[in-house]
Amino acid sequence: MTKDIIINSTNEETRIVLREDNKVVELFVEAPEHERMVGDIYKGKVSRVLPGMQAAFIDIGQEQNAFLHFSDVSPVYQEFFKKETPKPEKEGRPNKRRRYEFEVERELKKGQDIMVQIVKEPISTKGCRVTSEVTVPGRFVVLIPNHKHIGISRKIFDNKERKRLKEVARQIIPANFGLIIRTVAEGKSDKELKKDINDLLATWHNMEKKIAIAESPSLIYKDMSMASSIIRDLFTSDIDQVSVDSRKMMVEISAYVKYVAAHLVHKINYYKGKEPIFDHFGVEAEIDKMLDSKVWLKNGGYIVIHPTEALVSIDVNSGKFIGKKDHESNSLKINLEAAREIARQARLRDLGGLIVIDFIDVLEEENKRKIFLELKKEFAKDRAITKIEDMSRFGLIEMTRQRVRPEVILSLYQDCPKCQGSGLVPTISTTVSQIERWIQRYRSSKGDRRISLHVTSDVYNYLVKGRYNKRLRLMWKYWMKINLVKDESLDIGEYKFFDYKDKKSIEIGEKKAA
């Protein structure tokens, strides 16, 4: 499988795509108004404590307070949370050990300072989610201050290598620090690991100095820019090429890679073509299709993706597929192809939360199992944490996918101000019915018998079409004079009424003497 990274940088935004076998599987967009926040560390102030929600809200200087669940509050980072209580002593034997009783509801007070790290960016009306389990990510390891645990990525399968990495970490890491060894650390020398750990330790010590003097709320540590963090996390030996269309960004990326993985520098290329880089690699067309709810499959079937506030629903349909076998075999073939495309679209669109997939019905349990395993295999390539349930008797598969940021489509598009994101606007007949109801209310309040009605061109043509047109019918029905005006400044479904004499706008419910 070939893998490459393409970076497009403009004055307004930076876009990065990861491709597998020339197909876009992940898209990242960073703009000034959508700056990456995950990983940032703040010295915040407790704004509210809500025991009923088992959560607290933390002021970190953003527009919305951050959400801190009690389960994410660690006593390790806040000494004043610790409440030392001795265990009951056994008769005749003094108790030498003591235990710490941790009661967040009682110990977390409004106005307290607390150090927190963003783990999930703001989504819709919800503020960001934070934790006091602070970590500092590096190229090969993640540093966990005030911990002693050493964890190793599950994607490192060689037991001998796992033991080696753990032993190296134990020799290097100082007391009161923990580590998570990342997948890219596999095969790295002791020297490379030590260099990465020492850099993280220096970063942490600088943070300690800063937090001691900083006023809350304030930013203590800013994680790398999106481009640098993507290179840190994704640019591994299995990446064949990184293409960049910005000379400045190429210099920055090359300098970082030269420092942490010099053997990969030769894979970074500056794109010199006149054609936009995403057009050249055929990426722009795929991004444009992200807005479509319908995604066609190679075999003629298609899937329909509908995100809602609570979940994402995905429907699989046979479409134009004409199979040569029985219904069961045909359905299985479409479902397997759909499972592969669903996994790609979930990564590409960064779909998160609860996902419900309605596959085409299959009767045999073995075929249901095949679809489940195919979906699981494809999502194994995903960096986000996923949990997938077996297919239900209704042909549904329920799954969850880790969500740490809003869907990427929200960085590219915004809701239509007219339809409020529904994609629907009133028909002409609906608009005319609304106009008639307005007139009826106006006349019932003894409004003037002469008014001017401003409408869009399509409604105007609809009202004046024919000898006994709808405008005349309205005038006869309500016994009034309606002066119809075509107004190009109005949006679809909009209309305005004006007083016939002084030309002032008439609001609904406003009374006028007859």
Side-chain angles (χ1 to χ4, degrees):
M1 179 172 66
T2 61
K3 295 174 71 175
D4 63 336
I5 296 173
I6 305 169
I7 304 176
N8 166 229
S9 179
T10 65
N11 294 332
E12 296 299 320
E13 64 182 9
T14 298
R15 299 185 298 171
I16 303 174
V17 297
L18 171 66
R19 298 197 305 172
E20 294 176 357
D21 291 332
N22 294 325
K23 283 188 174 182
V24 180
V25 294
E26 291 190 46
L27 169 65
F28 307 88
V29 180
E30 184 174 53
E33 64 273 20
H34 296 289
E35 192 176 13
R36 174 187 167 94
M37 297 176 67
V38 172
D40 293 353
I41 298 174
Y42 287 82
K43 182 178 181 179
K45 189 180 289 290
V46 178
S47 176
R48 296 176 69 192
V49 180
L50 301 174
M53 290 180 61
Q54 288 289 290
F57 288 93
I58 312 297
D59 179 11
I60 59 173
Q62 300 292 325
E63 184 177 347
Q64 296 168 310
N65 286 340
F67 178 85
L68 174 66
H69 195 270
F70 285 171
S71 62
D72 293 321
V73 179
S74 170
V76 173
Y77 297 107
Q78 298 296 328
E79 293 298 323
F80 49 76
F81 288 156
K82 289 183 178 178
K83 182 180 179 182
E84 191 174 7
T85 57
K87 284 185 178 180
E89 294 183 4
K90 291 184 179 180
E91 189 176 347
R93 294 177 60 186
N95 185 18
K96 294 182 180 179
R97 293 188 178 183
R98 294 176 181 272
R99 68 181 177 88
Y100 287 110
E101 185 180 284
F102 184 50
E103 299 178 354
V104 182
E105 296 180 26
R106 188 178 300 172
E107 305 300 332
L108 197 62
K109 304 291 185 183
K110 181 178 179 180
Q112 278 182 351
D113 290 342
I114 184 170
M115 181 166 61
V116 292
Q117 185 171 34
I118 295 178
V119 294
K120 184 185 289 186
E121 293 187 359
I123 298 175
S124 185
T125 58
K126 298 178 182 178
C128 56
R129 181 161 182 166
V130 296
T131 177
S132 64
E133 287 277 0
V134 175
T135 60
V136 188
R139 170 72 174 173
F140 305 121
V141 301
V142 177
L143 184 70
I144 313 175
N146 302 303
H147 272 263
K148 296 180 181 179
H149 173 72
I150 297 176
I152 301 177
S153 169
R154 293 180 182 178
K155 293 185 179 180
I156 300 178
F157 302 108
D158 189 334
N159 287 329
K160 188 175 180 180
E161 177 65 5
R162 291 176 70 88
K163 289 179 181 179
R164 182 190 78 85
L165 290 171
K166 202 161 193 175
E167 188 59 34
V168 170
R170 283 174 179 164
Q171 294 173 4
I172 298 173
I173 195 70
N176 210 32
F177 282 92
L179 280 181
I180 297 174
I181 300 174
R182 310 180 77 164
T183 308
V184 289
E186 187 173 11
K188 301 304 175 186
S189 66
D190 299 7
K191 184 179 178 181
E192 289 175 298
L193 293 172
K194 188 172 182 180
K195 179 182 176 184
D196 196 33
I197 293 171
N198 286 336
D199 289 343
L200 295 177
L201 286 169
T203 300
W204 172 252
H205 293 316
N206 288 333
M207 287 168 53
E208 285 185 313
K209 294 176 184 177
K210 188 173 180 180
I211 201 168
I213 60 174
E215 295 289 331
S216 59
S218 60
L219 178 65
I220 300 300
Y221 168 79
K222 179 72 180 172
D223 199 11
M224 293 179 171
S225 66
M226 185 188 67
S228 298
S229 65
I230 296 301
I231 294 299
R232 178 190 66 197
D233 298 338
L234 296 182
F235 189 20
T236 53
S237 300
D238 62 340
I239 296 292
D240 300 295
Q241 180 176 278
V242 175
S243 302
V244 192
D245 66 353
S246 165
R247 195 176 294 276
K248 179 184 177 183
M249 183 165 287
M250 182 186 171
V251 171
E252 292 175 1
I253 292 173
S254 298
Y256 172 72
V257 173
K258 189 175 182 180
Y259 179 73
V260 297
H263 63 287
L264 297 177
V265 174
H266 71 283
K267 294 186 177 183
I268 304 173
N269 299 315
Y270 174 62
Y271 174 74
K272 300 178 181 178
K274 293 183 178 180
E275 186 182 21
I277 187 170
F278 276 14
D279 288 354
H280 176 76
F281 287 99
V283 171
E284 200 70 60
E286 287 199 60
I287 294 175
D288 290 341
K289 290 178 182 177
M290 283 178 56
L291 194 61
D292 297 339
S293 59
K294 183 184 288 188
V295 180
W296 288 95
L297 307 176
K298 288 182 179 179
N299 58 22
Y302 66 89
I303 60 175
V304 180
I305 303 172
H306 278 301
T308 70
E309 189 168 343
L311 54 82
V312 178
S313 67
I314 301 178
D315 187 31
V316 180
N317 293 282
S318 57
K320 303 174 184 177
F321 178 79
I322 302 175
K324 297 180 180 179
K325 298 183 180 180
D326 58 278
H327 174 75
E328 184 79 5
S329 299
N330 293 339
S331 298
L332 176 63
K333 188 173 182 180
I334 297 170
N335 285 336
L336 291 175
E337 179 69 24
R340 291 187 282 270
E341 186 61 29
I342 287 168
R344 186 177 83 91
Q345 290 293 329
R347 295 172 65 189
L348 176 60
R349 302 182 187 217
D350 203 14
L351 303 176
L354 180 62
I355 302 173
V356 179
I357 308 168
D358 182 11
F359 285 99
I360 298 173
D361 289 341
V362 288
L363 300 177
E364 297 178 16
E365 291 299 322
E366 183 183 352
N367 289 337
K368 292 181 180 180
R369 189 68 182 165
K370 285 180 181 178
I371 297 166
F372 168 76
L373 292 175
E374 185 69 20
L375 195 66
K376 201 165 186 179
K377 183 190 79 173
E378 291 299 316
F379 271 106
K381 304 173 186 176
D382 194 353
R383 294 184 301 126
I385 299 171
T386 57
K387 294 180 181 178
I388 307 174
E389 293 293 322
D390 289 327
M391 183 178 288
S392 73
R393 64 192 182 95
F394 300 113
L396 303 176
I397 284 185
E398 297 175 14
M399 63 170 290
T400 60
R401 184 174 183 272
Q402 181 187 25
R403 174 185 282 169
V404 296
R405 58 176 179 153
E407 291 176 40
V408 69
I409 200 168
L410 299 179
S411 301
L412 300 171
Y413 302 97
Q414 63 182 15
D415 285 344
C416 168
K418 183 60 189 173
C419 70
Q420 301 300 319
S422 69
L424 302 172
V425 293
T427 62
I428 295 176
S429 59
T430 298
T431 303
V432 173
S433 295
Q434 290 173 350
I435 289 171
E436 181 173 353
R437 286 193 290 273
W438 191 99
I439 293 172
Q440 187 177 6
R441 285 194 293 269
Y442 186 66
R443 288 294 297 130
S444 67
S445 63
K446 299 191 183 296
D448 196 343
R449 292 188 183 276
R450 294 178 299 171
I451 56 173
S452 288
L453 171 59
H454 289 222
V455 295
T456 56
S457 57
D458 54 350
V459 175
Y460 179 91
N461 295 333
Y462 181 81
L463 287 171
V464 299
K465 185 178 180 181
R467 175 182 290 184
Y468 299 107
N469 56 60
K470 296 185 181 298
R471 169 178 165 264
L472 290 175
R473 292 180 184 180
L474 286 173
M475 291 169 59
W476 291 335
K477 184 175 181 179
Y478 296 101
W479 201 242
M480 62 189 303
K481 170 72 173 177
I482 300 175
N483 180 39
L484 200 59
V485 179
K486 189 186 298 185
D487 192 338
E488 300 294 343
S489 67
L490 297 176
D491 289 330
I492 296 174
E494 278 191 333
Y495 54 87
K496 290 182 180 180
F497 285 94
F498 291 87
D499 180 73
Y500 194 78
K501 292 180 179 178
D502 51 23
K503 310 300 181 184
K504 289 183 179 179
S505 176
I506 307 173
E507 300 298 331
I508 293 178
E510 184 179 341
K511 293 186 179 182
K512 191 87 174 164

